[in-house]
Amino acid sequence: MGDSVVSEEELRMAIRNRVGRLKVTGESPEGMAMLHSVIPTYGLPTDYYERFINYISRLSPVDISRELRSLSKPVIAVVG
């Protein structure tokens, strides 16, 4: 990615995709069990998914670029 910045639209699309996948996973009993089994397994707060959605919804393209630049090894990041 170098010094380029992810576009606002690319980021919003990726966030909508991630949130949508979480919601679809929770529509089946198996998915709901899987989502909720993660919470005690890793000692997460009971409102983990709500916090996660709020956190990623506030990300900006500059945040993504800053984090990519801070990685010690070159990586390829696919957004979307």
Side-chain angles (χ1 to χ4, degrees), residues 5 15 34 45 47-49 58 60 66-68 71 79-80:
V5 176
I15 291 169
M34 188 276 305
D47 63 345
Y48 169 74
Y49 292 107
R58 289 190 311 266
S60 72
R66 182 182 59 245
E67 291 303 317
L68 285 173
L71 295 172
V79 179

Side-chain angles (χ1 to χ4, degrees), residues 13-77:
M13 220 168 29
I15 291 169
R16 285 192 303 267
N17 178 276
R18 186 67 188 113
V19 171
R21 284 190 285 145
L22 274 174
K23 290 180 179 181
V24 168
T25 299
E27 289 180 352
S28 71
E30 295 86 5
M32 186 66 79
M34 188 276 305
L35 289 173
H36 288 285
S37 70
V38 169
I39 291 171
T41 301
Y42 294 103
L44 301 172
T46 55
D47 63 345
Y48 169 74
Y49 292 107
E50 183 180 328
R51 288 182 187 196
F52 175 74
I53 291 170
N54 288 333
Y55 175 77
I56 66 171
S57 296
R58 289 190 311 266
L59 290 173
S60 72
V62 174
D63 296 329
I64 303 300
S65 295
R66 182 182 59 245
E67 291 303 317
L68 285 173
R69 281 193 303 274
S70 73
L71 295 172
S72 59
K73 294 189 247 180
V75 297
I76 296 175

Side-chain angles (χ1 to χ4, degrees), residues 1 6-7 9-15 64 68 77-80:
M1 290 229 15
V6 174
S7 76
E9 181 55 29
E10 288 173 316
L11 179 58
R12 294 296 144 221
M13 220 168 29
I15 291 169
I64 303 300
L68 285 173
V78 179
V79 179

